[in-house]
């Protein structure tokens, strides 16, 4: 039996993700962030003051991974944690002034990367490509009960 990695969805998606993360890493380093922090920042820029449980539900990552990411973000001055006003067991996560101040540049950087890597696709192809990825992600979640 032969396996053709260039016709393997898993191989190609992994390669694409790895390359995109490397480009993102280089481009956001001057902002004082790393790619692993980007999903949490995006969520907090949309709605500040989320709990860790709410972030987990939004980001589809492991609890331990998020906990480590938030610890690093707190150490780096991007977030602070506060007592939840209604639940003594929970804490809310808030962006610091530093965490807020990099938003626009981070958005510009991400949009520029997207434009560059999708430049060889027409608008129609880009829309289809992104739609296919969302469908496959949805299917994986459905099949694997993720």
């Amino acid at each position: 039996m032969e396996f053709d990695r260039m016709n393997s969805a898993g191989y190609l998606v992994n390669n694409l993700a790895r390359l995109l993360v490397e480009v993102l890493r280089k481009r956001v380093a001057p902002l004082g962030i790393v790619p692993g922090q980007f999903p949490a920042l995006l969520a907090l820029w949309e709605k500040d003051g989320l709990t860790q449980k709410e972030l987990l539900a939004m980001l589809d990552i492991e609890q331990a991974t998020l906990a480590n990411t938030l610890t690093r973000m707190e150490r780096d001055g991007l977030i602070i944690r506060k007592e939840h006003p209604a639940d003594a067991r929970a804490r809310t996560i808030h962006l610091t002034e530093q965490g807020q101040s990099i938003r626009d540049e981070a958005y510009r950087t991400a949009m520029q990367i997207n434009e560059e890597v999708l430049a060889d696709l027409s608008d129609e192809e880009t829309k289809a490509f992104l739609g296919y990825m969302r469908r496959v992600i949805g299917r994986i979640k459905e099949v694997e009960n993720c």
Side-chain angles (χ1 to χ4, degrees):
M1 178 198 265
E2 285 190 36
F3 182 81
D4 181 3
R5 63 186 167 88
M6 296 312 290
N7 284 307
S8 165
Y11 175 83
L12 292 172
V13 167
N14 183 59
N15 195 29
L16 175 64
R18 183 183 55 75
L19 292 169
L20 280 171
V21 165
E22 183 58 21
V23 171
L24 183 63
R25 184 191 63 73
K26 289 176 186 174
R27 305 263 183 103
V28 298
L31 300 176
I33 59 176
V34 296
Q37 297 168 334
F38 215 79
L41 286 167
L42 290 171
L44 291 167
W45 287 327
E46 287 176 19
K47 184 179 180 193
D48 201 16
L50 297 168
T51 65
Q52 189 165 323
K53 186 176 181 179
E54 290 170 325
L55 272 173
L56 276 172
M58 293 173 75
L59 302 181
D60 272 341
I61 60 174
E62 295 292 322
Q63 191 280 332
T65 301
L66 180 59
N68 289 335
T69 298
L70 293 175
T71 297
R72 180 174 178 171
M73 291 173 72
E74 191 169 33
R75 180 201 71 200
D76 293 347
L78 297 168
I79 63 163
I80 57 171
R81 300 180 215 213
K82 297 180 181 179
E83 290 184 20
H84 193 284
D87 184 351
R89 298 169 296 162
R91 295 172 57 105
T92 54
I93 301 156
H94 300 267
L95 291 162
T96 62
E97 186 176 316
Q98 179 183 345
Q100 282 287 4
S101 71
I102 62 173
R103 186 191 71 186
D104 291 346
E105 186 60 30
Y107 280 164
R108 272 192 292 280
T109 299
M111 290 188 302
Q112 183 179 23
I113 291 169
N114 282 326
E115 286 177 21
E116 289 173 13
V117 301
L118 298 171
D120 287 345
L121 303 178
S122 69
D123 289 345
E124 212 171 271
E125 289 170 326
T126 297
K127 185 177 178 180
F129 177 67
L130 297 174
Y132 295 148
M133 286 194 297
R134 285 188 290 271
R135 279 175 52 193
V136 171
I137 290 167
R139 180 67 179 147
I140 291 169
K141 288 180 178 183
E142 180 182 305
V143 170
E144 295 298 320
N145 295 316
C146 295

